[in-house]
PDB file of all heavy atoms in Angstrom:
ATOM      1  N   GLN L  42      -1.268 -10.026  19.177  1.00 81.00           N
ATOM      2  CA  GLN L  42      -1.142 -10.701  17.880  1.00 81.00           C
ATOM      3  C   GLN L  42      -2.473 -10.693  17.132  1.00 81.00           C
ATOM      4  O   GLN L  42      -2.518 -10.470  15.930  1.00 81.00           O
ATOM      5  CB  GLN L  42      -0.643 -12.138  18.073  1.00 81.00           C
ATOM      6  CG  GLN L  42      -0.398 -12.867  16.779  1.00 81.00           C
ATOM      7  CD  GLN L  42       0.655 -12.200  15.909  1.00 81.00           C
ATOM      8  OE1 GLN L  42       1.532 -11.483  16.384  1.00 81.00           O
ATOM      9  NE2 GLN L  42       0.565 -12.421  14.619  1.00 81.00           N
ATOM     10  N   LEU L  46      -3.210  -8.918  13.508  1.00 86.00           N
ATOM     11  CA  LEU L  46      -3.816  -9.613  12.366  1.00 86.00           C
ATOM     12  C   LEU L  46      -5.051  -8.863  11.861  1.00 86.00           C
ATOM     13  O   LEU L  46      -5.279  -8.798  10.654  1.00 86.00           O
ATOM     14  CB  LEU L  46      -4.180 -11.040  12.740  1.00 86.00           C
ATOM     15  CG  LEU L  46      -3.048 -12.049  12.630  1.00 86.00           C
ATOM     16  CD1 LEU L  46      -3.447 -13.385  13.245  1.00 86.00           C
ATOM     17  CD2 LEU L  46      -2.609 -12.230  11.200  1.00 86.00           C
ATOM     18  N   ALA L  49      -3.753  -6.182   9.759  1.00 86.00           N
ATOM     19  CA  ALA L  49      -3.304  -6.710   8.468  1.00 86.00           C
ATOM     20  C   ALA L  49      -4.502  -6.957   7.550  1.00 86.00           C
ATOM     21  O   ALA L  49      -4.464  -6.627   6.361  1.00 86.00           O
ATOM     22  CB  ALA L  49      -2.511  -7.998   8.669  1.00 86.00           C
ATOM     23  N   LEU L  50      -5.579  -7.509   8.109  1.00 89.00           N
ATOM     24  CA  LEU L  50      -6.781  -7.748   7.299  1.00 89.00           C
ATOM     25  C   LEU L  50      -7.411  -6.441   6.838  1.00 89.00           C
ATOM     26  O   LEU L  50      -7.907  -6.351   5.710  1.00 89.00           O
ATOM     27  CB  LEU L  50      -7.787  -8.584   8.087  1.00 89.00           C
ATOM     28  CG  LEU L  50      -7.489 -10.078   8.133  1.00 89.00           C
ATOM     29  CD1 LEU L  50      -8.407 -10.783   9.118  1.00 89.00           C
ATOM     30  CD2 LEU L  50      -7.620 -10.690   6.747  1.00 89.00           C
ATOM     31  N   ILE L  53      -5.554  -5.342   3.877  1.00 89.00           N
ATOM     32  CA  ILE L  53      -5.888  -6.178   2.716  1.00 89.00           C
ATOM     33  C   ILE L  53      -7.229  -5.756   2.129  1.00 89.00           C
ATOM     34  O   ILE L  53      -7.366  -5.614   0.908  1.00 89.00           O
ATOM     35  CB  ILE L  53      -5.887  -7.669   3.122  1.00 89.00           C
ATOM     36  CG1 ILE L  53      -4.452  -8.114   3.407  1.00 89.00           C
ATOM     37  CG2 ILE L  53      -6.533  -8.532   2.050  1.00 89.00           C
ATOM     38  CD1 ILE L  53      -4.325  -9.443   4.120  1.00 89.00           C
ATOM     39  N   TYR L  54      -8.220  -5.536   2.982  1.00 91.00           N
ATOM     40  CA  TYR L  54      -9.528  -5.101   2.483  1.00 91.00           C
ATOM     41  C   TYR L  54      -9.441  -3.723   1.837  1.00 91.00           C
ATOM     42  O   TYR L  54     -10.096  -3.466   0.815  1.00 91.00           O
ATOM     43  CB  TYR L  54     -10.570  -5.111   3.601  1.00 91.00           C
ATOM     44  CG  TYR L  54     -10.854  -6.493   4.135  1.00 91.00           C
ATOM     45  CD1 TYR L  54     -11.017  -6.708   5.491  1.00 91.00           C
ATOM     46  CD2 TYR L  54     -10.943  -7.596   3.291  1.00 91.00           C
ATOM     47  CE1 TYR L  54     -11.266  -7.982   5.993  1.00 91.00           C
ATOM     48  CE2 TYR L  54     -11.186  -8.862   3.778  1.00 91.00           C
ATOM     49  CZ  TYR L  54     -11.342  -9.055   5.131  1.00 91.00           C
ATOM     50  OH  TYR L  54     -11.595 -10.312   5.614  1.00 91.00           O
ATOM     51  N   ILE L  94      -3.593 -11.233  -2.971  1.00 94.00           N
ATOM     52  CA  ILE L  94      -4.128 -12.575  -2.717  1.00 94.00           C
ATOM     53  C   ILE L  94      -3.172 -13.351  -1.814  1.00 94.00           C
ATOM     54  O   ILE L  94      -3.601 -14.010  -0.861  1.00 94.00           O
ATOM     55  CB  ILE L  94      -4.378 -13.332  -4.044  1.00 94.00           C
ATOM     56  CG1 ILE L  94      -5.586 -12.724  -4.774  1.00 94.00           C
ATOM     57  CG2 ILE L  94      -4.593 -14.823  -3.788  1.00 94.00           C
ATOM     58  CD1 ILE L  94      -5.788 -13.256  -6.184  1.00 94.00           C
ATOM     59  N   ALA L  95      -1.871 -13.251  -2.098  1.00 92.00           N
ATOM     60  CA  ALA L  95      -0.881 -13.945  -1.268  1.00 92.00           C
ATOM     61  C   ALA L  95      -0.915 -13.433   0.175  1.00 92.00           C
ATOM     62  O   ALA L  95      -0.880 -14.224   1.129  1.00 92.00           O
ATOM     63  CB  ALA L  95       0.515 -13.775  -1.864  1.00 92.00           C
ATOM     64  N   LEU L  96      -1.013 -12.115   0.354  1.00 89.00           N
ATOM     65  CA  LEU L  96      -1.093 -11.547   1.702  1.00 89.00           C
ATOM     66  C   LEU L  96      -2.399 -11.943   2.396  1.00 89.00           C
ATOM     67  O   LEU L  96      -2.423 -12.182   3.610  1.00 89.00           O
ATOM     68  CB  LEU L  96      -0.962 -10.022   1.646  1.00 89.00           C
ATOM     69  CG  LEU L  96       0.409  -9.490   1.234  1.00 89.00           C
ATOM     70  CD1 LEU L  96       0.342  -7.996   0.986  1.00 89.00           C
ATOM     71  CD2 LEU L  96       1.445  -9.818   2.289  1.00 89.00           C
ATOM     72  N   TRP L  97      -3.468 -12.023   1.635  1.00 90.00           N
ATOM     73  CA  TRP L  97      -4.772 -12.409   2.170  1.00 90.00           C
ATOM     74  C   TRP L  97      -4.734 -13.849   2.683  1.00 90.00           C
ATOM     75  O   TRP L  97      -5.193 -14.144   3.785  1.00 90.00           O
ATOM     76  CB  TRP L  97      -5.834 -12.221   1.091  1.00 90.00           C
ATOM     77  CG  TRP L  97      -7.255 -12.284   1.535  1.00 90.00           C
ATOM     78  CD1 TRP L  97      -7.747 -12.025   2.788  1.00 90.00           C
ATOM     79  CD2 TRP L  97      -8.383 -12.610   0.740  1.00 90.00           C
ATOM     80  NE1 TRP L  97      -9.117 -12.161   2.798  1.00 90.00           N
ATOM     81  CE2 TRP L  97      -9.530 -12.522   1.555  1.00 90.00           C
ATOM     82  CE3 TRP L  97      -8.538 -12.950  -0.591  1.00 90.00           C
ATOM     83  CZ2 TRP L  97     -10.810 -12.777   1.073  1.00 90.00           C
ATOM     84  CZ3 TRP L  97      -9.806 -13.191  -1.069  1.00 90.00           C
ATOM     85  CH2 TRP L  97     -10.928 -13.105  -0.247  1.00 90.00           C
ATOM     86  N   VAL L  98      -4.177 -14.750   1.870  1.00 91.00           N
ATOM     87  CA  VAL L  98      -4.046 -16.154   2.281  1.00 91.00           C
ATOM     88  C   VAL L  98      -3.195 -16.253   3.543  1.00 91.00           C
ATOM     89  O   VAL L  98      -3.542 -16.979   4.480  1.00 91.00           O
ATOM     90  CB  VAL L  98      -3.459 -17.005   1.134  1.00 91.00           C
ATOM     91  CG1 VAL L  98      -3.062 -18.386   1.618  1.00 91.00           C
ATOM     92  CG2 VAL L  98      -4.448 -17.096  -0.020  1.00 91.00           C
ATOM     93  N   ALA L  99      -2.108 -15.512   3.594  1.00 89.00           N
ATOM     94  CA  ALA L  99      -1.241 -15.532   4.774  1.00 89.00           C
ATOM     95  C   ALA L  99      -2.009 -15.056   6.013  1.00 89.00           C
ATOM     96  O   ALA L  99      -1.910 -15.667   7.086  1.00 89.00           O
ATOM     97  CB  ALA L  99      -0.010 -14.665   4.545  1.00 89.00           C
ATOM     98  N   ALA L 100      -2.787 -14.000   5.872  1.00 86.00           N
ATOM     99  CA  ALA L 100      -3.540 -13.470   7.016  1.00 86.00           C
ATOM    100  C   ALA L 100      -4.635 -14.441   7.452  1.00 86.00           C
ATOM    101  O   ALA L 100      -4.859 -14.622   8.651  1.00 86.00           O
ATOM    102  CB  ALA L 100      -4.140 -12.112   6.664  1.00 86.00           C
ATOM    103  N   LEU L 101      -5.292 -15.076   6.498  1.00 86.00           N
ATOM    104  CA  LEU L 101      -6.337 -16.039   6.849  1.00 86.00           C
ATOM    105  C   LEU L 101      -5.759 -17.253   7.575  1.00 86.00           C
ATOM    106  O   LEU L 101      -6.420 -17.856   8.419  1.00 86.00           O
ATOM    107  CB  LEU L 101      -7.103 -16.477   5.600  1.00 86.00           C
ATOM    108  CG  LEU L 101      -7.990 -15.406   4.958  1.00 86.00           C
ATOM    109  CD1 LEU L 101      -8.638 -15.934   3.690  1.00 86.00           C
ATOM    110  CD2 LEU L 101      -9.046 -14.903   5.937  1.00 86.00           C
ATOM    111  N   LYS L 102      -4.521 -17.602   7.241  1.00 87.00           N
ATOM    112  CA  LYS L 102      -3.851 -18.717   7.922  1.00 87.00           C
ATOM    113  C   LYS L 102      -3.150 -18.254   9.195  1.00 87.00           C
ATOM    114  O   LYS L 102      -2.420 -19.015   9.797  1.00 87.00           O
ATOM    115  CB  LYS L 102      -2.846 -19.377   6.978  1.00 87.00           C
ATOM    116  CG  LYS L 102      -3.505 -20.109   5.836  1.00 87.00           C
ATOM    117  CD  LYS L 102      -2.487 -20.847   5.003  1.00 87.00           C
ATOM    118  CE  LYS L 102      -3.216 -21.654   3.939  1.00 87.00           C
ATOM    119  NZ  LYS L 102      -2.323 -22.571   3.260  1.00 87.00           N
ATOM    120  N   LYS L 103      -3.365 -16.977   9.541  1.00 83.00           N
ATOM    121  CA  LYS L 103      -2.755 -16.360  10.734  1.00 83.00           C
ATOM    122  C   LYS L 103      -1.231 -16.394  10.681  1.00 83.00           C
ATOM    123  O   LYS L 103      -0.561 -16.479  11.703  1.00 83.00           O
ATOM    124  CB  LYS L 103      -3.291 -17.008  12.007  1.00 83.00           C
ATOM    125  CG  LYS L 103      -4.784 -16.821  12.183  1.00 83.00           C
ATOM    126  CD  LYS L 103      -5.265 -17.362  13.472  1.00 83.00           C
ATOM    127  CE  LYS L 103      -6.738 -17.280  13.715  1.00 83.00           C
ATOM    128  NZ  LYS L 103      -7.597 -16.559  12.904  1.00 83.00           N
ATOM    129  N   TYR L 104      -0.707 -16.339   9.470  1.00 83.00           N
ATOM    130  CA  TYR L 104       0.740 -16.278   9.260  1.00 83.00           C
ATOM    131  C   TYR L 104       1.113 -14.810   9.140  1.00 83.00           C
ATOM    132  O   TYR L 104       0.774 -14.161   8.161  1.00 83.00           O
ATOM    133  CB  TYR L 104       1.115 -17.044   7.988  1.00 83.00           C
ATOM    134  CG  TYR L 104       2.586 -17.029   7.684  1.00 83.00           C
ATOM    135  CD1 TYR L 104       3.482 -17.755   8.453  1.00 83.00           C
ATOM    136  CD2 TYR L 104       3.079 -16.278   6.620  1.00 83.00           C
ATOM    137  CE1 TYR L 104       4.831 -17.750   8.176  1.00 83.00           C
ATOM    138  CE2 TYR L 104       4.435 -16.266   6.335  1.00 83.00           C
ATOM    139  CZ  TYR L 104       5.302 -17.002   7.109  1.00 83.00           C
ATOM    140  OH  TYR L 104       6.646 -16.984   6.836  1.00 83.00           O
ATOM    141  N   ASP L 105       1.767 -14.277  10.160  1.00 76.00           N
ATOM    142  CA  ASP L 105       2.077 -12.851  10.182  1.00 76.00           C
ATOM    143  C   ASP L 105       3.454 -12.589  10.795  1.00 76.00           C
ATOM    144  O   ASP L 105       3.566 -11.952  11.831  1.00 76.00           O
ATOM    145  CB  ASP L 105       1.002 -12.091  10.957  1.00 76.00           C
ATOM    146  CG  ASP L 105       1.131 -10.584  10.800  1.00 76.00           C
ATOM    147  OD1 ASP L 105       1.558 -10.123   9.729  1.00 76.00           O
ATOM    148  OD2 ASP L 105       0.812  -9.867  11.762  1.00 76.00           O
ATOM    149  N   PRO L 106       4.516 -13.081  10.147  1.00 81.00           N
ATOM    150  CA  PRO L 106       5.853 -12.757  10.670  1.00 81.00           C
ATOM    151  C   PRO L 106       6.146 -11.274  10.435  1.00 81.00           C
ATOM    152  O   PRO L 106       5.519 -10.620   9.600  1.00 81.00           O
ATOM    153  CB  PRO L 106       6.780 -13.647   9.844  1.00 81.00           C
ATOM    154  CG  PRO L 106       6.038 -13.905   8.583  1.00 81.00           C
ATOM    155  CD  PRO L 106       4.576 -13.898   8.949  1.00 81.00           C
ATOM    156  N   LEU L 109       6.698  -9.780   6.872  1.00 86.00           N
ATOM    157  CA  LEU L 109       5.556  -9.663   5.967  1.00 86.00           C
ATOM    158  C   LEU L 109       4.945  -8.262   6.010  1.00 86.00           C
ATOM    159  O   LEU L 109       4.488  -7.748   4.988  1.00 86.00           O
ATOM    160  CB  LEU L 109       4.511 -10.726   6.318  1.00 86.00           C
ATOM    161  CG  LEU L 109       3.533 -11.108   5.228  1.00 86.00           C
ATOM    162  CD1 LEU L 109       4.260 -11.545   3.961  1.00 86.00           C
ATOM    163  CD2 LEU L 109       2.624 -12.219   5.711  1.00 86.00           C
TER     164      LEU L 109
END
Side-chain angles (χ1 to χ4, degrees):
Q42 184 61 25
L46 276 170
L50 281 171
I53 290 166
Y54 295 139
I94 289 171
L96 292 170
W97 193 25
V98 169
L101 291 177
K102 291 185 175 190
K103 298 185 183 350
Y104 180 72
D105 190 33
L109 202 55

